[in-house]
């Protein structure tokens, strides 16, 4: 019997033994945060709305990633106070990852809205802020 045929029979036997998994519903007390696709701009109140949304997400998150452009030394240094650089092949910037702590959340929420709004409507000094695998700003 060929190796290919043996492998096929072994995989077939494994698949026949598999059973479907029943997913349990989330606990009633768990807060489910819906996915939001939202564009916030220079309008009055948008920055405060962003802070409110990020505050809710920070309260539920356990890990963060901050992406900064290479030339943003000040923001890289700030991010590194709360996490570690992560090796990544992205040639244009630095990724800092870490645990979401109360101090980290306070730092993010206390940042003023960046003044440089020419190219993009920035709400944070960082290029990107990721919380767990379900939030990006």
């Amino acid at each position: 019997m060929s190796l290919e045929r043996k492998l096929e029979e072994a995989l077939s036997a494994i698949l026949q033994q598999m059973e479907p998994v029943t997913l349990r519903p989330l606990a009633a007390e768990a807060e489910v945060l819906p996915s939001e696709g939202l564009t916030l701009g220079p309008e009055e109140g948008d920055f405060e709305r962003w802070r409110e949304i990020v505050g809710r997400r920070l309260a539920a998150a356990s890990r963060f990633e901050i992406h900064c452009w290479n030339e943003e030394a000040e923001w890289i240094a700030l991010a590194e106070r709360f996490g570690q650089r992560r090796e990544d092949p992205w040639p244009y910037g630095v990724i800092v990852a870490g645990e979401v702590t109360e101090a980290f959340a306070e730092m993010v929420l206390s940042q003023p809205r960046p003044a440089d709004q020419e190219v993009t409507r920035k709400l944070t000094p960082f290029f990107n802020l990721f919380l767990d695998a379900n939030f990006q700003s």
Side-chain angles (χ1 to χ4, degrees), residues 34-82:
S35 175
E36 298 177 51
L38 187 60
T39 301
L40 298 172
E43 290 78 25
E44 187 70 33
D46 276 0
F47 186 56
E48 290 75 22
R49 186 167 181 213
W50 175 83
R51 276 191 173 151
E52 177 188 319
I53 292 167
V54 172
R56 287 195 329 261
R57 296 295 181 155
L58 282 164
S62 60
R63 303 281 305 160
F64 76 86
E65 270 192 17
I66 288 178
H67 297 196
C68 295
W69 296 110
N70 285 326
E71 61 272 10
E72 297 177 324
E74 176 183 1
W75 306 121
I76 293 168
L78 178 60
E80 288 180 319
R81 290 178 42 205
F82 299 93

Side-chain angles (χ1 to χ4, degrees), residues 105-119:
E106 185 177 314
M107 178 278 293
V108 170
L109 295 173
S110 69
Q111 295 300 310
R113 185 172 191 162
D116 56 333
Q117 299 286 315
E118 301 83 41
V119 178

